Amino acid sequence: MKPFTYEKATSPAEAAAAAARNKGAKFVAGGTNLLDLMKLQIETPAHLIDINDLKLDRIETTANGELRIGALVRNTDLAAHGSVRQDYGVLSRALLAGASGQLRNQATTAGNLLQRTRCSYFYDTNQPCNKRNPGSGCGALGGVSRQHAIIGVSDACIATHPSDMAVAMRVLDAMVDTVRPDGTTRTIPIADFHTLPGTTPHIENALAPGELIVAVTLPRPAGGVHVYRKVRDRASYAFALVSVAVIVQPDGTGRVALGGVAHKPWRVEAAERAMARGAKGVVSVLLADARTTADNAFKVPLVERALASVLSEAKG
Ligand code: SF4
């Protein structure tokens, strides 16, 4: 491991300012992804800013009836929170489908959004990877790509975003609240938070250098029936081949987001207007521009079948 310096931040603004001051700095909280990447020397921060003392571990209902989730709320605590279980069931279910109990006890809300791809070529430093080493090529293109993305891909990268939680947050229209190094704050809609790979797959989200997530805010409860279905190679502690998050209202309208298919949680609002035509109608819009490989073409019919099953369950 490469040597690094370390400090403990005492306020969000101070943490963001410290990140701007120290070239190559990283924030660390749960560390469930970052520390693994540091051991492999895929991440080599010169400076670590520990944000665990920032008191961002509360879940509060705002005066507007929104739910504000602190960036440091652990995944286990978020999944078990009464308001989340009652009003945002799709989020609770997605969280419980992710990782293992031990990891959920440690992983934070912000860290979950920021976790990096599980593409095996990204983790193998003997392989080319445009995300790890821009310009070096992509081992997955022409390699083994069963787990990889089928939509929103580019010639530079076909990686997926591994989070279950983020898929539920996308279907819930969450907002990501941040503080920047100059102390100003902003709110980023989750739809705009994660990016597609394009020619710069090493850029994965809309955060500016030093910008720190302080909370994620969920709009007032949307009602309806919430379902999260994750299809994977084994029953636990595995990343999604595909996942489906839905909220279905009594009148048959609803929302759909997918995981395991793109570099970001995948939602196309126009596809939701096809709900009356069932899963086939929705998927024909949702995955209209799918670009598959021989290894992962199975994901298109898998999404359709998973969605059909989930819609059937949601409609009772
Ligand atoms: Fe790297 Fe992306 Fe290619 Fe995987 S798919 S090897 S992360 S460039």
Side-chain angles (χ1 to χ4, degrees):
M1 189 185 291
K2 287 203 172 164
F4 57 88
T5 50
Y6 170 90
E7 72 177 281
K8 253 189 176 208
T10 55
S11 76
E14 182 202 295
R21 268 198 313 274
N22 292 279
K23 196 170 178 320
K26 285 268 176 191
F27 301 119
V28 64
T32 57
N33 192 204
L34 179 63
L35 299 188
D36 284 348
L37 293 168
M38 286 175 68
K39 289 175 198 167
L40 294 166
Q41 297 203 7
I42 294 167
E43 294 272 15
T44 53
H47 186 66
L48 277 188
I49 302 164
D50 186 333
I51 58 170
N52 280 297
D53 284 353
L54 296 191
K55 301 187 175 41
L56 299 173
D57 58 353
R58 296 177 61 184
I59 301 173
E60 299 165 310
T61 302
T62 69
N64 294 333
E66 301 160 329
L67 195 71
R68 186 171 160 87
I69 303 159
L72 296 177
V73 172
R74 307 286 156 168
N75 288 180
T76 298
D77 296 331
L78 184 56
H81 191 269
S83 297
V84 175
R85 284 166 58 95
Q86 180 175 319
D87 297 324
Y88 305 96
V90 68
L91 176 58
S92 183
R93 290 179 188 128
L95 283 159
L96 293 174
S100 65
Q102 292 94 329
L103 284 166
R104 293 195 294 269
N105 289 343
Q106 182 71 7
T108 64
T109 302
N112 192 320
L113 284 180
L114 295 173
Q115 65 181 299
R116 307 203 66 188
T117 185
R118 263 57 180 191
C119 170
S120 57
Y121 298 92
F122 173 72
Y123 281 81
D124 184 346
T125 52
N126 293 311
Q127 296 289 331
C129 173
N130 288 321
K131 185 182 283 295
R132 173 171 30 79
N133 184 12
S136 63
C138 170
L141 281 164
V144 178
S145 53
R146 184 170 179 274
Q147 290 278 353
H148 287 74
I150 58 171
I151 189 94
V153 299
S154 74
D155 291 336
C157 180
I158 57 171
T160 56
H161 193 276
S163 172
D164 294 290
M165 184 197 80
V167 181
M169 286 186 167
R170 179 69 180 90
V171 89
L172 288 165
D173 289 326
M175 308 290 280
V176 182
D177 303 318
T178 72
V179 61
R180 290 181 280 208
D182 64 1
T184 58
T185 61
R186 68 168 172 155
T187 297
I188 307 168
I190 188 91
D192 301 330
F193 184 78
H194 295 103
T195 55
L196 291 176
T199 56
T200 55
H202 58 290
I203 298 171
E204 298 172 344
N205 56 61
L207 293 177
E211 191 170 8
L212 175 73
I213 298 175
V214 292
V216 176
T217 302
L218 303 181
R220 282 182 290 182
V225 177
H226 293 211
V227 182
Y228 186 78
R229 180 77 55 82
K230 180 175 181 178
V231 184
R232 48 188 157 174
D233 282 329
R234 59 180 183 226
S236 75
Y237 199 33
F239 294 97
L241 288 168
V242 306
S243 69
V244 182
V246 301
I247 300 175
V248 178
Q249 301 296 344
D251 64 3
T253 61
R255 309 178 194 174
V256 179
L258 303 177
V261 299
H263 202 251
K264 59 189 288 185
W266 192 254
R267 183 175 172 201
V268 178
E269 278 79 349
E272 293 159 8
R273 293 196 281 276
M275 289 286 268
R277 288 164 42 215
K280 205 175 187 61
V282 175
V283 172
S284 69
V285 182
L286 202 50
L287 298 182
D289 298 319
R291 196 176 108 189
T292 61
T293 67
D295 286 351
N296 68 17
F298 73 93
K299 287 192 177 187
V300 175
L302 185 58
V303 166
E304 190 180 318
R305 287 174 199 150
L307 181 59
S309 170
V310 163
L311 291 179
S312 170
E313 179 182 333
K315 290 173 181 169

